[in-house]
Amino acid sequence: MNVLLTALLVATTGGILQIGGASWDITSHILRQPETFFTPSHAMLYTGTGLTAIAAAIGLVVFLKNKQEIRSRSFYTAFKLLIIGAAIQLVSGPGDFMWHSVFGVDGLMSPPHLSLATGILIGTIAAVVGLARILPHIESKRNQRLAKTALVPAFAALWFSSIWYIFFFVLPLSNGQNFTFNPDPAAAIVIATTVLPFMSAMIFLVSARTIGKLGAATAVAGVVISMNVLANIVPASNSWGHSFPGNCSPSFQPLLEQTLRSIK
């Protein structure tokens, strides 16, 4: 059981790094086109992907060794989700590189970006479900406290991932060099004003009920706010005081200008 708890803790760390790195990368794309694949945001994102893959591999090995015993446990579904999410993420990375090679600069909602976001969302769901369902099977009080504490960043990663997943269908930032995936403005308004607040309220209430304390749910919200500040506001602060288009590299400026025209 300790091995599976460790795998879930690794998955939680991976989820935080993934959504934080992905959000940071999106901000970097809006501000300036990265010159190489080896950017800090990419390193953060794919480190998280690696951790998620390791956690999924640990779960898979344990299941193969203890098929009958593990399949009867309630947390078995969480590890199946974790394996599926990790597989989607591992395919999406090379897929995004191939997409860029063939179609050039893309917008927010390209197929590889959407598949990567789906894999991250599934992984964060798996971490939350796994930690919540493994709690009754943990005998050590210390490990129980550890699992409950880990639920705070796990719910935060799920919340932040859900916000960005909704943003894919709301923000008008999906104009690429060859494809336009921008959402319909009317549909975007409906989604933003209904789905986003409903999802946020639901995750807040579920986290409070799962962890057992309203203060813990407030801590989850605080982590989400901190992630947003570190991944979006801090990287963007370097551009304050300058004209937004002027901050972008020449290769990204036509895409930005096209996006700004679509907003108007």
Side-chain angles (χ1 to χ4, degrees):
M1 201 61 61
N2 289 340
V3 174
L4 293 177
L5 175 59
T6 300
L8 291 172
L9 295 176
V10 172
T12 299
T13 304
I16 287 285
L17 291 176
Q18 281 179 306
I19 189 57
S23 184
W24 182 8
D25 186 54
I26 292 170
T27 301
S28 298
H29 273 280
I30 293 175
L31 295 176
R32 59 189 183 281
Q33 178 69 16
E35 297 299 329
T36 67
F37 179 79
F38 300 99
T39 61
S41 57
H42 282 175
M44 186 175 178
L45 169 60
Y46 289 110
T47 296
T49 300
L51 291 176
T52 302
I54 291 172
I58 293 173
L60 181 61
V61 170
V62 172
F63 290 156
L64 291 177
K65 289 183 177 180
N66 307 276
K67 285 185 179 180
Q68 299 303 322
E69 178 184 358
I70 298 298
R71 286 183 179 179
S72 63
R73 303 296 178 90
S74 59
F75 53 78
Y76 176 62
T77 301
F79 279 93
K80 289 196 295 185
L81 288 174
L82 187 60
I83 293 169
I84 293 171
I88 294 174
Q89 294 166 36
L90 291 174
V91 171
S92 299
D96 187 49
F97 177 78
M98 293 174 61
W99 181 274
H100 281 287
S101 300
V102 175
F103 300 113
V105 177
D106 56 1
L108 180 61
M109 192 169 63
S110 64
H113 287 173
L114 187 58
S115 64
L116 178 60
T118 301
I120 293 174
L121 182 60
I122 292 174
T124 56
I125 292 174
V128 167
V129 173
L131 287 170
R133 290 187 175 182
I134 204 172
L135 266 172
H137 302 279
I138 300 175
E139 297 179 358
S140 168
K141 295 294 183 181
R142 175 179 175 275
N143 286 344
Q144 286 180 358
R145 289 194 298 268
L146 181 61
K148 280 193 172 183
T149 302
L151 276 168
V152 172
F155 268 111
L158 171 60
W159 194 343
F160 204 35
S161 300
S162 300
I163 290 173
W164 267 112
Y165 203 81
I166 294 172
F167 279 171
F168 270 74
F169 303 92
V170 171
L171 298 179
L173 299 174
S174 297
N175 280 353
Q177 289 181 330
N178 292 279
F179 298 98
T180 298
F181 297 111
N182 273 341
D184 177 76
I189 291 173
V190 172
I191 294 172
T193 55
T194 58
V195 179
L196 190 58
F198 173 79
M199 178 276 304
S200 296
M202 182 181 66
I203 293 179
F204 181 85
L205 293 175
V206 171
S207 64
R209 183 175 180 179
T210 302
I211 304 174
K213 294 180 180 180
L214 183 61
T218 304
V220 172
V223 174
V224 173
I225 294 172
S226 299
M227 292 174 65
N228 185 49
V229 170
L230 293 174
N232 299 320
I233 298 177
V234 172
S237 63
N238 293 328
S239 67
W240 294 349
H242 302 278
S243 61
F244 191 59
N247 265 329
C248 299
S249 65
S251 61
F252 190 62
Q253 189 163 341
L255 175 58
L256 176 61
E257 292 175 348
Q258 184 182 14
T259 301
L260 292 176
R261 285 196 298 270
S262 69
I263 297 175
K264 295 177 181 179

